Amino acid sequence: MYKRQLVFVAAIPVLALIVFGIMLATRPMYKNVQSGLDKILGITRENLTGVRVIRAFNKEQDEVKRFKNDNESLNRLQKYVGKISGLMNPLTYVVVNVSIIALIWIGGVRVNAGALTQGQVVALYNYMSQILVELIKLANLIITITKALACAGRIESVFDVTSGMADGSVKEAAAKEEQPGVEFKNVSLTYSGSGAPSVERINFKAMKGQTIGVIGGTGSGKSSLVNLIPRLYDATQGEVLVDGVNVKDYDIEALRNKVGIVMQKAVLFKGTIRENMWMGKKGATDEQIDEALEISQSKEFVDSKQGRLDYVIEQGGKNLSGGQRQRLTIARAIVRKPDVLILDDSASALDFATDAALRKAIRGMNNSPTVFIVSQRAASLMYADLIIVLDDGQVAGMGTHDELLANCEVYKEIYESQFKKADSEGGVA
């Protein structure tokens, strides 16, 4: 009996060594496999979204070669780790079968000696087979768990990323007549890892109902400035106030409910026009949506679509023109009737007449929001109450259109580059 127990006991640590040895060897490899898969998916996504650019620059073969090389590297890694994992069953079955052979041999010797009966040997064989087979199943389960842990580790790393912004407690702040809707007090912003500030020492007040224009060259900090209002970024110095309250003291959700922002890139989601408008205001009525469409100059083309508000927008708004996408994103921001409306170069695809009609309609909104218009066009900002001219993150000038033409060289240069050339060619300024 002692020898038979010894066979069984000896098989267990050998199986454990095989199982845990393979598990420890393959776990980091499965992590590398997941990283490689991420890279392949990233290349695929880039190729699909940038297919027109790839064709325009005749880079199809280069992209095919890049995908093929990375895919083959991933394939080799998967085969290698698969071969190691594939050793699990043959090795464990070798151990099991060797143990059974040893058990039958020892049992046969004991039966011949009269120390055991044949039934006892058969019973012990069945017990040992059942236990060892279940151990093999456990080994396969552990390999599956190892793969799952590699995936879970990558997901956990995403969940572990926490926002560096502390949420405030202010849910609502009542706007007062004499109080600025938005105020910047000596505000600077430096992005993480950047050596120089993107915007520096910005000071201005925007009263409720005013239109504030922001203009400047590429990379001058226009978008960075307006993104501080809904707290997409936190100012590294100074204070940004909305209705007299520092944006850092607001509950983030409450703050962003007060602000409607239209990004540079017009992003629409697959679904009906009504569902896209509900992203701006959940449960908005058709009348409210129609009002927003009217202000954003979208109503005419929406009325021409089959089903109107039930017209289905394809992913990314591919079945709409660039100008139609921009106008719908503006309508999505307007439908919530925000206290602050930010248009971040969001009318670049619109013609001058539609752009002018849009600005006029926004000025006539009943709730009189404080409007920020970021634009490269001087014509879009000429009638703003205050124009902020940025140059390399700093204020190069601030005032009305006429004041800036007289006192700000940067603004004058932008204006003349757009209008004087048109005048010389017989255009109208």
Side-chain angles (χ1 to χ4, degrees):
M1 180 64 74
Y2 174 75
K3 290 183 178 180
R4 294 194 303 276
Q5 291 175 336
L6 185 62
V7 170
F8 181 74
V9 171
I12 299 300
V14 174
L15 284 172
L17 181 63
I18 293 170
V19 171
F20 288 102
I22 291 176
M23 183 183 74
L24 292 173
T26 56
R27 186 172 181 180
M29 295 180 188
Y30 280 122
K31 290 182 179 179
N32 293 335
V33 167
Q34 291 302 121
S35 298
L37 183 60
D38 282 352
K39 188 175 182 181
I40 290 295
L41 293 176
I43 293 172
T44 304
R45 183 175 62 250
E46 285 180 350
N47 287 341
L48 288 174
T49 56
V51 62
R52 293 183 180 177
V53 177
I54 293 170
R55 288 175 180 172
F57 288 93
N58 199 26
K59 292 292 181 181
E60 293 99 323
Q61 294 305 317
D62 292 340
E63 288 302 312
V64 169
K65 185 178 179 180
R66 181 165 75 112
F67 178 85
K68 186 177 179 180
N69 291 338
D70 288 334
N71 193 45
E72 286 178 351
S73 297
L74 175 61
N75 193 24
R76 285 193 297 268
L77 181 58
Q78 286 178 319
K79 285 181 178 178
Y80 181 64
V81 69
K83 287 177 181 178
I84 296 176
S85 298
L87 291 173
M88 177 74 73
N89 280 349
L91 289 178
T92 50
Y93 274 108
V94 165
V95 173
V96 170
N97 290 326
V98 169
S99 301
I100 290 173
I101 291 169
L103 174 67
I104 293 174
W105 180 74
I106 294 171
V109 172
R110 303 293 288 175
V111 168
N112 286 335
L116 285 176
T117 65
Q118 292 177 348
Q120 288 176 316
V121 174
V122 171
L124 188 58
Y125 163 76
N126 287 331
Y127 294 149
M128 186 173 181
S129 296
Q130 290 177 17
I131 292 172
L132 292 179
V133 166
E134 295 307 318
L135 285 174
I136 291 172
K137 291 180 181 178
L138 176 63
N140 290 327
L141 177 62
I142 289 174
I143 289 296
T144 303
I145 291 173
T146 301
K147 295 178 183 178
L149 287 175
C151 298
R154 294 183 62 78
I155 294 171
E156 186 180 11
S157 65
V158 175
F159 287 156
D160 284 343
V161 176
T162 57
S163 173
M165 296 182 182
D167 205 353
S169 58
V170 178
K171 296 284 186 180
E172 186 60 49
K176 298 177 182 177
E177 197 66 36
E178 70 283 356
Q179 185 174 264
V182 176
E183 183 177 2
F184 276 55
K185 291 184 177 180
N186 200 34
V187 172
S188 297
L189 170 65
T190 304
Y191 291 109
S192 178
S194 175
S198 295
V199 292
E200 189 174 10
R201 296 190 298 274
I202 307 295
N203 291 277
F204 70 87
K205 294 180 180 180
M207 306 305 291
K208 185 174 177 61
Q210 280 190 327
T211 298
I212 310 298
V214 184
I215 196 170
T218 302
S220 59
K222 302 185 298 296
S223 294
S224 296
L225 186 145
V226 294
N227 284 339
L228 292 171
I229 300 171
R231 210 181 168 198
L232 299 181
Y233 303 104
D234 267 345
T236 48
Q237 291 181 4
E239 292 182 312
V240 180
L241 308 178
V242 173
D243 290 337
V245 178
N246 192 323
V247 292
K248 295 181 181 179
D249 295 331
Y250 273 104
D251 174 83
I252 292 179
E253 184 176 351
L255 172 64
R256 291 175 183 167
N257 282 335
K258 294 172 71 69
V259 179
I261 183 167
V262 186
M263 304 292 187
Q264 288 180 343
K265 183 179 180 181
V267 177
L268 294 170
F269 298 91
K270 183 175 176 61
T272 63
I273 292 176
R274 181 184 287 105
E275 288 168 345
N276 272 271
M277 294 301 106
W278 282 348
M279 292 198 69
K281 182 179 181 182
K282 187 176 181 180
T285 64
D286 287 1
E287 290 75 16
Q288 291 171 327
I289 294 173
D290 281 336
E291 182 184 357
L293 294 174
E294 181 102 32
I295 294 171
S296 66
Q297 310 303 301
S298 308
K299 196 170 187 303
E300 182 179 352
F301 80 81
V302 170
D303 287 343
S304 67
K305 300 294 184 183
Q306 185 176 4
R308 287 195 75 252
L309 299 182
D310 293 320
Y311 178 76
V312 177
I313 298 172
E314 295 299 327
Q315 186 177 7
K318 292 178 182 177
N319 54 340
L320 298 173
S321 69
Q324 289 173 342
R325 288 198 297 270
Q326 284 191 338
R327 281 178 280 174
L328 284 179
T329 56
I330 293 170
R332 185 175 59 195
I334 290 173
V335 75
R336 70 178 4 175
K337 296 291 183 71
D339 295 334
V340 181
L341 178 62
I342 300 171
L343 306 178
D344 187 1
D345 203 13
S346 56
S348 57
L350 304 184
D351 59 78
F352 284 98
T354 304
D355 186 18
L358 170 65
R359 286 182 277 110
K360 182 179 179 181
I362 289 174
R363 286 197 300 271
M365 288 175 63
N366 294 332
N367 61 316
S368 300
T370 304
V371 181
F372 286 81
I373 301 177
V374 177
S375 181
Q376 300 280 7
R377 296 176 178 175
S380 298
L381 308 178
M382 287 173 59
Y383 302 103
D385 299 295
L386 177 69
I387 301 174
I388 302 170
V389 184
L390 293 179
D391 183 27
D392 198 20
Q394 297 184 342
V395 175
M398 194 179 297
T400 63
H401 169 72
D402 293 334
E403 291 171 347
L404 291 171
L405 277 181
N407 303 316
C408 180
E409 286 299 322
V410 175
Y411 183 79
K412 186 177 180 180
E413 183 180 339
I414 294 171
Y415 176 79
E416 290 182 347
S417 68
Q418 297 176 14
F419 285 86
K420 293 300 183 182
K421 182 177 180 182
D423 285 344
S424 65
E425 295 174 353
V428 179

